Amino acid sequence: MAQTLNNQITREPYLQAPSPSEITVRWRTNLMTRSTVFYGKDERNLNHRTDSLQYNTEHEVRLSGLEPDTRYYYRVVLPKDTLTGKIFSFYTLPQKRLSETYSFALFGDPGSPGEDQIKVRDAVMKYYADKKMDFWIQLGDNAYRHGTDQEFQNDFFTPFKEMLGHYPSFSTLGNHDYHDVDFGSKYAQTTKSNVYFKIFSLPARGEAGGVPSGNSSYYSMDVGHVHLISLDSYGIEKNGKMVFDPGSAQYEWLKQDLQALENHRGFIIVYTHFPPFSKGTHDSDSDSIMIGMRENLLPLLERYGVDLLIGGHSHAYERSPMMKGFYGKSAEFDTKYAFREYRKNVEGFGKADLYKKEGKEGIAYMVTGNSSATSASRYPDFPHRAMKYSNDRSSGAFIVEVQKNQLTMKWLTGNGIMEDAFVIEKDFRR
Ligand SMILES: [Fe+2]
């Protein structure tokens, strides 16, 4: 006898492309249906609804007309089902006001299933138990080993189900997200046909500020007075250029996006998968992608006032001083490139390094590619000489807190210990 197949939610709701007034809710069902989201400010009265009348198994509904920095409750609904879907909540992004504070977490290489992944996730959620997390970022390699849909389902959507349903997130592309089990990475790198692009709704149209990139591989947005830029480090463009080569579409867009920030009174943070400096599980002295990123992009990022660059890929934690003019190999690093440091107390950590940035140029570099797996460096010259602090033993995630002209960074390990912290203080009058 034929079995009856009931319609079910097979991928729980996840929040994408937030702004102060809009957010995208996505989910998956096993059968094609229309899409409805009920939402409202009162959990017991979800008095708004948005529908999409197309039949889909991949549901994508954009909620609009929302108030900034406001908590909304929502529930996705299956046809003829008005009560059974689980209720989640989210906050819309805040609007630009210098007095406000923001906080977000970054998970580097989060898609390796196992104990480290769960411990780091739980440590971050415990940290935010009594604080607001505005959003979180995945730094690429979101599902091992090949970024297939099944791997995304098992190793990303399942362990991060609660976080994805309650906190909007942004993603950047990793090399494993570019694996293509059918035709090879190069095919995906050039055609962008990988599953990643089907899964994530990224703000390529300037949904939350920034110059529209028109390309989901890279984008930017504003959260309050923080401008965030996500760069692809592994794609190949139609003309054969790597995405970090001058003349590539990404490079030219990046320049425009940075030029538009000339009078920006705030922070500029770049995140990307391949870091320019590392001696963790990858060596930036010899890795051609890391060298290409470093030599082509760093002078540009410096010139336009980027403050912090965060990468993953290397399964370690590494943090440089604030520095300027250094684009070389580890052995070539000299303290003349590093800014003078001060000290400042960070709650939960103690005396931390304080980087004061008075001029336009100076970037602090972070690697945090170990939120689901860590691995001892295989390079005898670990740590990288440009790094102020390196750790290849603990897995962890990275928390950024913004308050007026101070950025506080905290590295939280899977054991719930804050093993590193530092502060960037910037003079916005420059
Ligand atoms: Fe990677």
Side-chain angles (χ1 to χ4, degrees):
M1 198 170 78
Q3 266 190 331
T4 307
L5 189 60
N6 294 322
N7 197 18
Q8 290 172 356
I9 295 172
T10 51
R11 183 168 285 171
E12 294 285 338
Y14 58 107
L15 299 163
Q16 296 279 285
S19 80
S21 61
E22 299 188 347
I23 202 162
T24 293
V25 184
R26 296 192 58 168
W27 70 99
R28 177 183 284 181
T29 51
N30 58 333
L31 301 177
M32 281 201 282
T33 67
R34 293 188 168 110
S35 317
T36 298
V37 178
F38 281 113
Y39 63 99
K41 286 193 263 188
D42 180 350
E43 190 176 4
R44 293 153 303 175
N45 179 23
L46 303 181
N47 54 349
H48 292 84
R49 71 181 283 172
T50 301
D51 303 290
S52 166
L53 300 184
Q54 303 298 317
Y55 283 93
N56 274 313
T57 54
E58 295 296 327
H59 303 272
E60 184 168 0
V61 174
R62 185 88 174 148
L63 309 183
S64 56
L66 308 175
E67 293 170 31
D69 205 12
T70 301
R71 189 176 197 176
Y72 286 88
Y73 297 85
Y74 75 100
R75 183 160 72 77
V76 303
V77 174
L78 298 180
K80 306 214 180 254
D81 162 18
T82 52
L83 289 170
T84 57
K86 184 180 166 185
I87 294 179
F88 291 88
S89 70
F90 64 84
Y91 280 90
T92 44
L93 291 188
Q95 269 179 333
K96 194 170 187 168
R97 277 204 295 274
L98 260 182
S99 58
E100 286 178 2
T101 59
Y102 325 107
S103 182
F104 57 97
L106 295 111
F107 284 64
D109 306 51
S112 213
E115 193 187 352
D116 280 352
Q117 185 188 49
I118 301 306
K119 282 173 73 178
V120 172
R121 177 200 69 187
D122 290 349
V124 171
M125 283 296 89
K126 195 171 169 197
Y127 177 83
Y128 280 109
D130 57 356
K131 302 174 192 70
K132 191 178 83 166
M133 179 167 77
D134 289 288
F135 60 97
W136 61 297
I137 289 172
Q138 300 106 31
L139 286 170
D141 289 358
N142 299 330
Y144 284 91
R145 285 227 16 119
H146 306 298
T148 63
D149 188 53
Q150 188 174 15
E151 287 169 336
F152 263 102
Q153 186 70 19
N154 295 338
D155 306 335
F156 179 75
F157 283 102
T158 301
F160 291 111
K161 184 166 66 176
E162 289 295 318
M163 281 181 71
L164 288 162
H166 284 104
Y167 304 99
S169 69
F170 300 94
S171 180
T172 197
L173 275 152
N175 50 309
H176 287 265
D177 302 312
Y178 266 128
H179 281 197
D180 185 324
V181 288
D182 302 317
F183 299 109
S185 290
K186 195 152 189 186
Y187 183 75
Q189 284 168 276
T190 47
T191 59
K192 317 287 179 197
S193 54
N194 32 327
V195 166
Y196 176 96
F197 291 103
K198 305 274 183 208
I199 286 176
F200 295 107
S201 302
L202 298 158
R205 290 179 285 113
E207 284 89 336
V211 171
S213 69
N215 188 325
S216 297
S217 306
Y218 47 88
Y219 55 86
S220 65
M221 72 269 188
D222 295 318
V223 178
H225 61 293
V226 183
H227 186 75
L228 290 120
I229 301 173
S230 169
L231 295 180
D232 182 6
S233 38
Y234 203 57
I236 301 171
E237 298 199 348
K238 286 195 182 75
N239 55 11
K241 285 183 188 290
M242 289 300 296
V243 275
F244 45 75
D245 287 335
S248 66
Q250 174 175 260
Y251 186 95
E252 295 307 316
W253 164 80
L254 174 64
K255 218 158 68 176
Q256 278 183 35
D257 191 64
L258 290 168
Q259 279 167 347
L261 295 170
E262 200 178 342
N263 299 315
H264 178 63
R265 281 168 50 83
F267 292 100
I268 307 173
I269 299 174
V270 172
Y271 58 93
T272 188
H273 186 66
F274 282 73
F277 304 105
S278 179
K279 285 278 181 184
T281 55
H282 295 277
D283 182 0
S284 57
D285 284 358
S286 56
D287 183 304
S288 64
I289 303 286
M290 293 157 94
I291 294 170
M293 290 289 284
R294 185 166 73 231
E295 294 183 346
N296 289 301
L297 295 184
L298 300 196
L300 181 72
L301 299 178
E302 265 182 3
R303 193 178 340 132
Y304 287 101
V306 170
D307 305 302
L308 180 65
L309 190 155
I310 308 166
H313 189 53
S314 202
H315 293 181
Y317 173 82
E318 297 164 288
R319 186 248 304 176
S320 82
M322 176 73 74
M323 55 187 189
K324 178 177 153 183
F326 178 62
Y327 318 120
K329 293 182 178 178
S330 176
E332 293 161 1
F333 178 74
D334 188 282
T335 49
K336 71 180 183 196
Y337 298 110
F339 287 27
R340 183 180 162 195
E341 284 164 19
Y342 302 82
R343 307 288 276 168
K344 184 178 182 357
N345 200 53
V346 170
E347 196 187 332
F349 180 75
K351 289 275 178 224
D353 287 334
L354 168 65
Y355 302 167
K356 286 192 182 181
K357 189 170 171 185
E358 281 156 7
K360 190 159 187 158
E361 296 181 7
I363 301 177
Y365 297 90
M366 318 275 319
V367 178
T368 178
N370 55 0
S371 73
S372 68
T374 194
S375 179
S377 173
R378 50 181 178 262
Y379 304 105
D381 54 345
F382 173 86
H384 194 290
R385 284 188 56 187
M387 292 297 165
K388 185 80 198 300
Y389 175 83
S390 301
N391 187 322
D392 63 345
R393 302 175 310 279
S394 308
S395 53
F398 189 56
I399 286 162
V400 179
E401 288 172 351
V402 190
Q403 188 167 28
K404 294 184 180 173
N405 69 331
Q406 288 195 337
L407 273 186
T408 302
M409 275 61 67
K410 300 172 175 177
W411 184 54
L412 195 62
T413 69
N415 296 323
I417 298 165
M418 201 183 297
E419 287 208 27
D420 188 40
F422 71 105
V423 181
I424 297 177
E425 192 179 280
K426 194 171 174 184
D427 183 355
F428 290 151
R429 294 166 305 174
R430 61 169 167 69

